[in-house]
């Protein structure tokens, strides 16, 4: 059995082996996963190598303050950007091993001519492609409602940022009510961008798109390298083409993700996104309150002014009415007096006319009655002359056959004929008929 050694002895053997077999320094290509600057001026990094979004290797590194000041200044002077997480760099490093802290890399230099690194270059290429395709401001063309009450939320149910966002909405001190619908997505890893795009497509194809005022994408911070999915072209394309406004609240400290750039509105954190939505409610409520105050003030001023005008009109109307009534009374008295005078004269004239007409009528009707009486006497005399009895008294007779005068009916031999005289009725049978001639 091999003789046992202590952990310290083993670590010292590892350190000795590394010192004896490794070169003084190496030029390596790696991506800065994390970069923190200490108060003393040192920089502490996580250097990673990835395939897509999958991390293949990871090592701690540091840049001591004196070197960091020189390296960082030269890098920014050449590239126009400070060293930051997410950049792929070409660095000169020496390998160090500490018995207590393990292996790490000491960065001696960084080649600024490696530009922004492969990661930053790809990001820039995506931005340039989106710009050429006119997609950078496509989602910004939509008008975000002043009061966005229906929100589609894309996040992970376990994300702390999602809980912060919902708490901020639910417990707002103003009592605003906002209706939300959750769409699950993965927020880091190789498939994160695909799930985010899928969630956006699900919103667009759900048949409920018209029910949403906006989409909010929430993450809630994390390591810089965990946010690579928000720089992918497919996600940026889906956000740009989303038919309603997209708000991002990814919660990161670096400048912006591409998702932020193409979204309608970017906020630093989920809480800030919730506050932004609530601010729309407050602004609208303040607008309504101010409008109500303005309306009340204008209404009060208008009512006061109209009351004053009404009092003036009432006074004018009273004075005008009194004046008109006085005029009308004078006119009425004049017309009444004139009418009475005219009526009296007219009545007197009409009475004279009526008396003359009455006298004339009496005279006329007296003459008419006398004339009619004479006429009636003459008619009576004529009627008496035409009375059949007067003819019978003078010796004439009247003969009838079948109740009709013989000159008004056809008579035949053998008919019964009745003859009337003044005092006799004679019945006879017709035995002979002779014609005396025709009238």
């Amino acid at each position: 059995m091999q003789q046992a050694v202590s952990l310290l002895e083993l670590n010292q053997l590892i350190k000795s082996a590394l010192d004896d077999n490794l070169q003084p320094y190496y030029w390596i290509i790696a991506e800065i996963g994390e970069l923190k600057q200490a108060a003393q001026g040192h920089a502490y990094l996580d250097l990673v190598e990835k395939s897509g979004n999958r991390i293949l290797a990871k090592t701690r590194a540091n840049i001591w303050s004196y070197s960091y000041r020189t390296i960082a200044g030269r890098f920014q002077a050449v590239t126009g950007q400070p060293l930051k997480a997410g950049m792929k760099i070409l660095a000169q490093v020496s390998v160090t091993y500490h018995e207590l802290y393990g292996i790490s890399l000491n960065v001696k230099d960084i080649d600024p001519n490696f530009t922004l690194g492969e990661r930053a270059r790809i990001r820039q290429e995506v931005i340039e492609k989106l710009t050429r395709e006119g997609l950078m401001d496509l989602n910004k063309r939509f008008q975000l409602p002043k009061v966005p009450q229906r929100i589609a939320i894309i996040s992970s149910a376990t994300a702390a940022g999602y809980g912060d966002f919902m708490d901020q909405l639910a417990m707002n001190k103003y009592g605003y009510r906002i209706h939300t619908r959750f769409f699950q997505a993965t927020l880091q890893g190789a498939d994160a961008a695909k799930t985010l795009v899928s969630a956006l497509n699900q919103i667009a194809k759900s048949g409920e798109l018209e029910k949403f005022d906006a989409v909010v994408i929430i993450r809630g911070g994390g390591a810089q390298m965990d946010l690579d999915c928000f720089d992918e072209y497919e996600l940026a394309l889906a956000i740009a083409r989303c038919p309603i406004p997209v708000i991002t609240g990814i919660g990161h400290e670096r400048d912006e993700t591409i998702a932020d750039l193409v979204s309608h509105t970017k906020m630093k954190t989920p809480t800030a996104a919730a506050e932004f939505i609530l601010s729309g409610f407050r602004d609208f409520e303040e607008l309504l309150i101010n409008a109500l105050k303005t309306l009340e003030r204008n209404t009060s001023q208008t009512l006061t002014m109209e009351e004053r005008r009404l009092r003036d009109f009432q006074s004018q109307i009273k004075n005008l009415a009194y004046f008109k009534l006085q005029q009308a009374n004078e006119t009425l008295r004049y017309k009444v007096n004139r009418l009475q005078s005219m009526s009296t004269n007219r009545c007197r004239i009409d009475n004279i006319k009526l008396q003359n007409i009455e006298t004339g009528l009496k005279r006329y009707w007296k003459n008419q009655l006398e004339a009619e009486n004479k006429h009636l006497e003459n008619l009576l005399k004529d009627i008496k002359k035409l009375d059949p009895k007067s003819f019978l008294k003078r010796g004439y007779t009247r003969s009838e056959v079948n109740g009709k005068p013989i000159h008004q009916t056809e008579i035949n031999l053998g008919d019964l004929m009745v003859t009337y005289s003044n005092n006799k009725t004679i019945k006879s049978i017709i035995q002979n008929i002779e014609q005396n001639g025709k009238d």
Side-chain angles (χ1 to χ4, degrees):
M1 180 179 178
Q2 188 178 7
Q3 184 179 358
V5 296
S6 68
L7 178 59
L8 175 60
E9 290 174 335
L10 178 59
N11 285 350
Q12 288 173 341
L13 287 173
I14 295 172
K15 176 177 173 58
S16 177
L18 292 176
D19 290 341
D20 292 341
N21 291 281
L22 293 179
Q23 297 181 16
Y25 63 87
Y26 294 88
W27 284 98
I28 65 168
I29 296 174
E31 182 178 319
I32 302 175
E34 291 285 347
L35 191 154
K36 297 179 181 178
Q37 187 172 355
Q40 300 87 347
H42 308 309
Y44 298 99
L45 306 84
D46 282 340
L47 297 180
V48 298
E49 182 174 344
K50 296 192 297 185
S51 175
N53 287 327
R54 187 166 62 91
I55 298 176
L56 302 178
K58 181 176 180 181
T59 304
R60 291 183 297 107
N62 58 69
I63 311 175
W64 302 124
S65 60
Y66 183 82
S67 299
Y68 181 66
R69 188 180 302 110
T70 303
I71 292 171
R74 186 172 70 253
F75 187 90
Q76 183 162 2
V78 173
T79 64
Q81 298 187 47
L83 278 170
K84 58 184 178 179
M87 289 184 170
K88 185 172 287 188
I89 60 173
L90 175 61
Q92 185 187 58
V93 300
S94 62
V95 181
T96 62
Y97 184 85
H98 191 276
E99 291 84 349
L100 184 60
Y101 302 110
I103 193 168
S104 65
L105 302 178
N106 183 12
V107 179
K108 303 291 187 180
D109 195 8
I110 294 177
D111 185 0
N113 294 318
F114 197 72
T115 67
L116 300 177
E118 189 65 17
R119 181 171 179 272
R121 182 185 62 79
I122 293 173
R123 181 177 185 276
Q124 188 62 32
E125 286 179 353
V126 171
I127 293 175
E128 291 174 355
K129 182 178 180 181
L130 293 169
T131 302
R132 288 195 305 271
E133 294 173 350
L135 299 175
M136 293 298 290
D137 296 323
L138 188 62
N139 191 254
K140 294 179 178 63
R141 76 186 189 277
F142 296 111
Q143 183 70 34
L144 186 65
K146 292 184 180 297
V147 183
Q149 292 182 285
R150 300 163 304 230
I151 305 297
I153 303 173
I154 299 176
S155 186
S156 171
T158 59
Y162 172 64
D164 294 341
F165 178 83
M166 295 302 295
D167 289 343
Q168 186 79 0
L169 292 185
M171 295 186 295
N172 72 87
K173 62 181 179 180
Y174 305 100
Y176 301 139
R177 292 188 59 188
I178 301 174
H179 304 282
T180 62
R181 181 175 172 185
F182 178 75
F183 293 85
Q184 174 67 31
T186 303
L187 301 180
Q188 65 184 58
D191 296 327
K194 291 181 180 179
T195 64
L196 290 165
V197 172
S198 176
L200 284 168
N201 292 337
Q202 185 181 352
I203 293 171
K205 295 177 181 178
S206 66
E208 300 181 355
L209 183 63
E210 69 281 357
K211 296 182 180 179
F212 297 123
D213 295 321
V215 176
V216 180
I217 300 176
I218 295 170
R219 188 184 192 284
Q224 297 291 353
M225 59 186 177
D226 293 336
L227 302 177
D228 284 349
C229 59
F230 293 99
D231 282 338
E232 293 197 18
Y233 172 79
E234 288 73 15
L235 176 58
L237 181 64
I239 292 174
R241 290 180 175 176
C242 185
I244 56 177
V246 177
I247 301 170
T248 55
I250 297 171
H252 51 83
E253 293 302 324
R254 77 181 188 188
D255 293 341
E256 290 170 317
T257 65
I258 294 177
D260 290 323
L261 294 175
V262 297
S263 67
H264 182 281
T265 302
K266 63 171 184 177
M267 303 305 296
K268 278 291 185 182
T269 63
T271 301
E275 182 59 29
F276 170 72
I277 293 171
L278 293 172
S279 68
F281 283 74
R282 290 199 303 274
D283 291 345
F284 187 72
E285 184 177 16
E286 289 176 1
L287 180 65
L288 289 179
I289 292 172
N290 291 334
L292 181 60
K293 290 180 179 177
T294 301
L295 180 61
E296 290 176 346
R297 183 171 58 254
N298 291 342
T299 302
S300 177
Q301 292 175 351
T302 302
L303 287 174
T304 301
M305 182 175 64
E306 292 302 321
E307 286 176 357
R308 187 180 302 113
R309 291 180 59 191
L310 183 59
R311 288 194 296 270
D312 293 341
F313 283 146
Q314 287 176 335
S315 177
Q316 293 176 10
I317 289 171
K318 287 180 179 179
N319 294 335
L320 183 61
Y322 179 78
F323 176 73
K324 288 292 184 182
L325 285 173
Q326 290 294 103
Q327 282 187 327
N329 285 332
E330 292 294 330
T331 303
L332 184 60
R333 283 195 295 269
Y334 169 76
K335 289 184 176 181
V336 166
N337 293 334
R338 186 177 178 186
L339 182 60
Q340 288 176 343
S341 176
M342 292 176 63
S343 298
T344 301
N345 293 334
R346 188 72 180 178
C347 287
R348 186 168 57 252
I349 293 171
D350 288 343
N351 282 333
I352 294 172
K353 288 182 178 180
L354 286 173
Q355 290 172 1
N356 292 335
I357 291 172
E358 182 181 6
T359 302
L361 285 173
K362 286 179 179 179
R363 186 184 305 113
Y364 172 77
W365 286 115
K366 181 179 179 181
N367 295 334
Q368 285 293 106
L369 287 173
E370 290 176 354
E372 291 298 324
N373 285 331
K374 289 182 181 180
H375 181 63
L376 287 174
E377 289 175 358
N378 293 331
L379 288 176
L380 182 60
K381 290 178 181 179
D382 292 339
I383 288 172
K384 287 180 178 180
K385 290 178 181 179
L386 295 174
D387 188 355
K389 291 182 178 181
S390 65
F391 288 97
L392 294 177
K393 288 178 180 180
R394 285 163 28 199
Y396 293 99
T397 62
R398 180 167 61 85
S399 298
E400 295 179 355
V401 174
N402 295 324
K404 294 182 179 181
I406 60 175
H407 69 281
Q408 292 182 352
T409 187
E410 183 178 354
I411 59 176
N412 300 301
L413 295 177
D415 289 341
L416 175 65
M417 183 174 66
V418 179
T419 302
Y420 299 93
S421 65
N422 184 41
N423 52 12
K424 293 180 180 178
T425 300
I426 303 169
K427 296 181 179 180
S428 58
I429 300 300
I430 299 174
Q431 295 180 347
N432 183 37
I433 300 172
E434 294 182 359
Q435 297 292 334
N436 293 329
K438 298 181 179 180
D439 292 339

